Amino acid sequence: MAEGAAAAARLRLAGLCFFLQLLTIILFAAFVRYGPESDPGLCSPQSNCSQRDPEPGLGYPRFRDAHLQALLGFGFLLAFLGRYGPGSVATSLLVVAFTVQWALLAQGLFYFSPKGKIYVGAQSMVSADFCTAAVLISSGAVLGRVNPIQLLLMTLLEVPLFACNEFILLSLLGISDSGGSLTVHAFGAYFGLMVSRALRQSRVDERGEQQDEGRQPDAFAVLGTLYLWIFWPSFASATTAQDSAEPWAVLNIYFSMAASTLATFVLSPILYEEGTLQAAQLQDAALVGAAVMGMAGEMLLTPFGALVAGFLASHLSLLGSRFLSPILSSRLKIQDTCGVHNVHGLPGVLGTLVGTLLAGLATADAYGGRMESVFPLVAQGSRTASGQAWWQLCALPLTLILAALGGSLTGTLLGTRALRSTPKSPEMESKVPEDGLNPEASDEELGGSTLA
């Protein structure tokens, strides 16, 4: 009977993949075209448009680094559960393959050309990879408790909401968030947490949970950490203007990641009984340092400031993992499998506050010619620095509200009985989890962070 249920689940997954791919092929045929890089008038000057890139020849290296980060860096982040290690990597590749296509359509919808077409290039692919990163962050909150069908449906609903939030913040409100502290890290984390809470409520009386057999060896964490250090600075600076603020973004992220890593060695032995740090803890430290620099990376921030921000973000993440995660699990019924709240959510919020402070302190004398690319509305005189800081701050509750509402509705839909599957047999643990529900996962395993 279990084999028959697994076969039916595979057929449903195959049918859904066929439908989604056929739908994207039809939409691409109708609306998507390659845009001539020499014509800047084809679409709005925003990060989704390839025409924004002042040096088109550098578009492919940006896309390559961003895509490698999405595939390998985030892929290995989802591979630490003992039951679903290799299957989690396969599932993340499935999500990436669909999200890139769907994001190009959803983001392009807001930047239609006068001819009714979506023009794509290397820079629009980078923007799609940013959307992919947000979806993978959300997936980390529900890893082990959803099947691939539910993940695809979550992606189908999350991507348009991500594109809408990005359009409101970057185009309508004029927010500066090139590295995605708010649009990627905070949005993805809190969307996934609300999906997790809705799924927990729908299954609270369905079954008891037992202990998990263990986590994967640290090989996945080591690989993920290496890819984070190599590609994240390029990933987070991929949407900055190549001739202006990119060196700031790259260097600030490196400084922040370095300080965050050292902070892990400072506080982790105090909070946890383990005498030796694990590779997963260093992996999370690199993530935290990069997340906090998403918004502030391209702004005027001294090396001293980047070190302080990374150091504080790591401490905030560690304290959240030790004291806040148990409260989320026991009081709010939120199971956070990969600890995305501590690794992406809290650092994303802190990065937004740092960016708000720097926006309020921005002056033309300090920025020079870079003011036009970092704060164009301030450079044009239509907004003061304090006004820019106010809008940067207002973007935070707006993003949290959209993520919370969208995640709650999505989780409620995914928790319906029609989308659940019966658990599979133990011998299929290493394969793609058709059922998604880990019957051997404890609240500690599903609600803790990789930092623990």
Side-chain angles (χ1 to χ4, degrees):
M1 184 150 183
E3 293 181 358
R10 286 194 294 269
L11 288 177
R12 287 196 297 270
L13 176 61
L16 179 61
C17 290
F18 176 79
F19 170 76
L20 293 177
Q21 187 60 74
L22 182 63
L23 175 64
T24 54
I25 288 175
I26 294 174
L27 293 176
F28 266 64
F31 300 108
V32 180
R33 300 291 185 271
Y34 289 118
E37 301 289 339
S38 59
D39 186 358
L42 288 175
C43 61
S44 174
Q46 197 268 345
S47 60
N48 183 56
C49 301
S50 59
Q51 287 74 24
R52 178 179 185 267
D53 194 348
E55 298 184 52
L58 294 172
Y60 174 72
R62 293 183 177 190
F63 160 66
R64 177 195 60 206
D65 292 348
H67 203 58
L68 283 172
Q69 174 61 40
L71 281 172
L72 301 177
F74 282 100
F76 286 119
L77 296 181
L78 305 180
F80 73 96
L81 282 183
R83 179 177 172 90
Y84 292 140
S88 298
V89 178
T91 303
S92 68
L93 290 176
L94 172 65
V95 171
V96 169
F98 173 62
T99 304
V100 169
Q101 302 176 64
W102 192 236
L104 286 173
L105 292 167
Q107 292 172 321
L109 179 65
F110 293 98
Y111 302 100
F112 257 30
S113 76
K115 299 179 180 179
K117 301 297 181 182
I118 300 173
Y119 290 96
V120 300
Q123 195 65 17
S124 56
M125 293 295 292
V126 169
S127 189
D129 278 329
F130 272 60
C131 181
T132 301
V135 173
L136 290 175
I137 290 171
S138 301
S139 301
V142 297
L143 179 65
R145 291 176 292 114
V146 293
N147 56 47
I149 293 178
Q150 290 172 309
L151 274 180
L152 285 175
L153 292 177
M154 186 183 81
T155 302
L156 187 69
L157 298 174
E158 182 178 1
V159 168
L161 188 60
F162 172 91
C164 179
N165 181 66
E166 183 185 56
F167 176 76
I168 293 174
L169 265 57
L170 302 186
S171 295
L172 298 185
L173 300 184
I175 302 302
S176 177
D177 188 23
S178 64
S181 281
L182 194 55
T183 56
V184 176
H185 294 279
F187 178 87
Y190 290 105
F191 184 95
L193 290 172
M194 296 309 297
V195 172
S196 178
R197 187 179 190 279
L199 289 175
R200 173 72 177 264
Q201 293 297 320
S202 67
R203 289 174 173 168
V204 67
D205 298 323
E206 182 176 329
R207 65 189 305 145
E209 293 170 340
Q210 305 170 0
Q211 290 293 327
D212 183 55
E213 294 179 355
R215 295 171 182 253
Q216 286 289 329
D218 279 346
F220 286 122
V222 171
L223 290 173
T225 303
L226 291 177
Y227 282 116
L228 287 174
W229 274 94
I230 294 171
F231 293 111
W232 196 290
S234 178
F235 171 80
S237 63
T239 60
T240 59
Q242 184 71 21
D243 58 349
S244 59
E246 186 177 20
W248 280 350
V250 172
L251 295 177
N252 285 331
I253 291 170
Y254 266 119
F255 289 136
S256 179
M257 292 170 67
S260 177
T261 300
L262 265 81
T264 302
F265 282 88
V266 172
L267 193 58
S268 184
I270 300 175
L271 296 178
Y272 301 103
E273 297 179 356
E274 294 86 351
T276 304
L277 286 176
Q278 298 179 357
Q281 294 174 275
L282 301 180
Q283 175 181 266
D284 286 349
L287 274 170
V288 168
V292 75
M293 280 292 101
M295 178 178 289
E298 69 172 344
M299 300 178 185
L300 179 58
L301 192 63
T302 64
F304 158 79
L307 291 173
V308 171
F311 191 78
L312 293 178
S314 183
H315 281 72
L316 178 64
S317 176
L318 285 165
L319 292 172
S321 175
R322 182 66 178 87
F323 300 108
L324 190 56
S325 291
I327 297 176
L328 292 178
S329 179
S330 60
R331 301 290 179 86
L332 300 181
K333 307 302 180 184
I334 297 177
Q335 293 177 332
D336 186 5
T337 308
C338 294
V340 299
H341 181 248
N342 307 310
V343 179
H344 297 279
L346 291 178
V349 172
L350 178 61
T352 301
L353 298 178
V354 173
T356 299
L357 175 62
L358 293 175
L361 298 176
T363 61
D365 293 337
Y367 278 76
R370 301 190 183 202
M371 180 69 81
E372 179 66 32
S373 60
V374 180
F375 300 116
L377 295 180
V378 176
Q380 296 165 9
S382 58
R383 180 180 293 178
T384 63
S386 59
Q388 179 69 35
W390 168 252
W391 285 111
Q392 297 276 143
L393 184 61
C394 290
L396 177 59
L398 176 61
T399 297
L400 296 181
I401 290 173
L402 287 177
L405 292 178
S408 298
L409 294 175
T410 302
T412 301
L413 174 62
L414 299 183
T416 57
R417 186 170 298 275
L419 295 177
R420 304 181 207 167
S421 303
T422 55
K424 63 180 181 297
S425 56
E427 60 268 17
M428 298 184 66
E429 291 176 353
S430 297
K431 300 179 182 179
V432 177
E434 290 92 352
D435 61 303
L437 183 61
N438 187 349
E440 299 174 349
S442 63
D443 280 344
E444 181 180 358
E445 173 74 17
L446 294 177
S449 166
T450 54
L451 282 167

